[in-house]
Amino acid sequence: MKNKKRKPRQSQPKSKLCALRQVCELIPSHLTAKLAKEKKVKSRSFTPWSHVVSMLFAQLSGAISLNDVCDNLRNHVGLLSTIRGAKPPSRNGLSNANKKRDANMAKELFWTVLRHLQTLSPGFEHGPKKRKRGLPRRFKRIIHAIDSSTIKLVANTMPWAKHRRRKAAAKLHMRLDIGSFLPGFAIVGAARDGDNSRARELCAGILKGEIAIFDKAYIDFKHLFDLGLRGVYWVTRAKDNMSCRVVRRLINKPQGNILRDDLVVLKNKKSKEAHPLPMRRVRALVEVDGKEVVMEFITNNTDWSPVSVCDLYQSRWEIEVFFKQIKQNLKLCDFLGNSANAVGWQVWMALLTYVLLRYLGFLSDWTHSFSRLCTMVKGSLWSKLALKDLLVKYGTAGGSFRMLGRPDQAYLPGFA
């Protein structure tokens, strides 16, 4: 039998720059020094730029300790120096920088880089060309999902974050544009801060005609009333103890999974003073873990169909996917410092890393999962491969994949 000819292997696209440098080059060269000056960050040998590069490397490589970060960077000091003169830190130097240097510098760096990338590539602001499955297709407005995620910490070493007797945690409050899957606003704080106390800050930047979606933990009737006065539409779930009176029925009998659709006013005196106008309440059957349960949604829009109200709340699950992606693929479980400032540095650098990776995915029309994108970049940090070309040609598995996933724990049957 004749031997079959083997297909020649595709050569990897080469570059003069290592992959880590290609990622860091997405950050404007003047920006770190400018922000360090504004925040009055003092440094000697370990510059603010070296600090930023070290924290980005910690996120991209998945390093689990200060020693991992410092040793790895020291072993590649030659390649590291080509990244605008960055230098490897000592263990104490990196620890002290995370503790002493203002974390607001990392926060400002994140938002400035995000705006820079959106300006550089306007399409990046609008998200993937192919619309994600599971989002309401008929809505042309910007839809904001608002939620928070708790980041578990160690109580005996982080007393500033205690919120229960033996537990400590930080909390990341997020406003996410579910069309582009990019953060619109974020707050990093202690877990003891209630969600509804942060609602006004998170919704402050939402414009007239846009839509805000959040769960019932963010309900503050005075805030909901103010959103309506600003021309912002909102959708949320009704609390179980919400006392209200029906003033008008919008449907006379159940229609499919829609059981009720009413205009209601609040009965409680304080609640009614906070929100004197009627609001809409939609009661629907929702399948959760294979069982149908009744859920009630409230909104200030009376023109949408009841199915649209349910679809909009369903799209809130996209922010759960976002939290899942950054927690599973970036460094938000093990922390390199115990102070509130060090945790702030790490959370903001994780968000910056997420945006840089998403931008690389946008440039290369990446169709695989975000986890796979992280794995590709992680495996080639010190390799001199053309990262963009590598992502374009990548295809160890055939078929079409969605960049974004969606949890299947809860969905609304019949609302296609």
Side-chain angles (χ1 to χ4, degrees):
M1 294 181 64
K2 295 182 179 179
N3 295 328
K4 293 183 179 180
K5 293 183 179 180
R6 293 182 180 180
K7 294 181 180 180
R9 291 184 179 180
Q10 294 182 350
S11 59
Q12 299 288 4
K14 300 294 183 181
S15 172
K16 295 181 180 179
L17 314 178
C18 67
L20 178 61
R21 180 177 174 181
Q22 294 173 58
V23 175
C24 293
E25 290 290 336
L26 296 175
I27 302 174
S29 57
H30 67 283
L31 186 56
T32 305
K34 177 184 175 183
L35 293 175
K37 187 176 180 180
E38 290 177 359
K39 301 299 178 183
K40 298 180 180 180
V41 173
K42 297 180 180 180
S43 61
R44 293 181 181 176
S45 57
F46 188 45
T47 63
W49 173 243
S50 297
H51 187 193
V52 168
V53 173
S54 299
M55 295 302 290
L56 279 175
F57 174 79
Q59 293 292 337
L60 291 168
S61 64
I64 61 174
S65 68
L66 290 168
N67 285 332
D68 285 352
V69 177
C70 299
D71 292 345
N72 203 317
L73 292 176
R74 194 177 296 114
N75 291 337
H76 297 88
V77 63
L79 288 173
L80 182 64
S81 64
T82 65
I83 308 176
R84 299 175 190 164
K87 296 181 179 179
S90 65
R91 184 184 183 281
N92 289 338
L94 181 56
S95 176
N96 187 68
N98 287 335
K99 183 178 180 180
K100 298 291 181 64
R101 295 180 182 177
D102 191 356
N104 286 323
M105 175 185 161
K107 176 182 175 181
E108 291 298 324
L109 179 66
F110 165 73
W111 291 117
T112 308
V113 170
L114 177 57
R115 289 191 295 268
H116 168 72
L117 296 178
Q118 290 173 335
T119 304
L120 201 62
S121 301
F124 182 54
E125 186 177 4
H126 304 295
K129 297 176 183 178
K130 187 177 180 181
R131 194 172 179 84
K132 300 183 290 295
R133 193 173 67 195
L135 299 185
R137 298 189 176 185
R138 51 194 169 277
F139 289 96
K140 304 299 181 183
R141 307 173 187 271
I142 296 177
I143 304 173
H144 303 273
I146 297 163
D147 204 353
S148 66
S149 182
T150 301
I151 303 170
K152 293 182 180 179
L153 303 174
V154 183
N156 58 355
T157 58
M158 301 183 180
W160 59 270
K162 280 189 177 181
H163 71 112
R164 293 182 184 176
R165 181 177 296 179
R166 297 182 180 179
K167 293 184 178 181
K171 186 175 280 189
L172 174 61
H173 299 267
M174 178 67 63
R175 187 181 83 224
L176 185 76
D177 182 345
I178 62 175
S180 64
F181 222 65
L182 294 173
F185 191 78
I187 302 172
V188 180
R192 67 175 71 95
D193 299 334
D195 288 350
N196 59 355
S197 66
R198 297 292 193 176
R200 288 185 179 275
E201 295 174 79
L202 290 166
C203 296
I206 301 179
L207 303 177
K208 181 179 179 180
E210 297 178 349
I211 303 170
I213 308 167
F214 36 82
D215 64 13
K216 54 189 176 182
Y218 283 91
I219 290 181
D220 176 354
F221 288 118
K222 178 61 177 172
H223 176 233
L224 296 182
F225 182 70
D226 292 340
L227 285 177
L229 293 179
R230 286 166 44 194
V232 176
Y233 299 116
W234 51 265
V235 178
T236 184
R237 277 186 63 191
K239 288 188 175 182
D240 298 334
N241 62 350
M242 188 180 80
S243 179
C244 59
R245 175 174 57 87
V246 177
V247 295
R248 181 186 169 191
R249 289 194 174 189
L250 301 180
I251 60 172
N252 295 321
K253 59 181 180 180
Q255 299 177 0
N257 293 320
I258 305 298
L259 305 179
R260 294 282 298 268
D261 187 5
D262 308 313
L263 286 180
V264 301
V265 293
L266 299 170
K267 292 172 64 177
N268 182 278
K269 183 179 178 181
K270 289 185 178 180
S271 299
K272 191 173 182 179
E273 289 176 354
H275 196 293
L277 296 180
M279 64 180 68
R280 185 179 181 185
R281 182 188 65 184
V282 176
R283 184 178 296 169
L285 278 176
V286 180
E287 188 171 332
V288 181
D289 295 331
K291 298 179 181 179
E292 287 190 338
V293 297
V294 177
M295 285 187 180
E296 290 187 350
F297 309 100
I298 55 176
T299 179
N300 63 338
N301 187 292
T302 58
D303 297 328
W304 297 330
S305 72
V307 174
S308 296
V309 175
C310 298
D311 282 349
L312 280 169
Y313 190 81
Q314 177 192 13
S315 65
R316 192 195 68 83
W317 281 100
E318 294 297 324
I319 196 169
E320 303 289 353
V321 176
F322 170 81
F323 287 135
K324 181 179 178 181
Q325 287 183 353
I326 62 173
K327 282 187 171 182
Q328 288 185 346
N329 298 288
L330 301 175
K331 192 171 178 57
L332 282 177
C333 295
D334 301 312
F335 285 84
L336 302 178
N338 297 330
S339 66
N341 197 73
V343 171
W345 261 98
Q346 196 158 328
V347 173
W348 286 112
M349 293 308 295
L351 293 175
L352 176 60
T353 306
Y354 169 82
V355 167
L356 294 176
L357 290 176
R358 283 294 313 279
Y359 186 69
L360 286 171
F362 169 80
L363 293 179
S364 58
D365 290 328
W366 182 260
T367 56
H368 298 266
S369 67
F370 181 75
S371 299
R372 217 163 187 177
L373 175 62
C374 291
T375 303
M376 283 294 297
V377 177
K378 179 181 178 179
S380 56
L381 282 178
W382 299 113
S383 302
K384 292 188 175 182
L385 299 174
L387 203 51
K388 180 183 172 182
D389 295 336
L390 181 66
L391 297 178
V392 169
K393 296 181 179 179
Y394 176 72
T396 57
S400 176
F401 300 84
R402 288 185 293 131
M403 176 67 172
L404 309 177
R406 181 164 60 93
D408 296 326
Q409 286 81 2
Y411 61 97
L412 304 178
F415 299 151

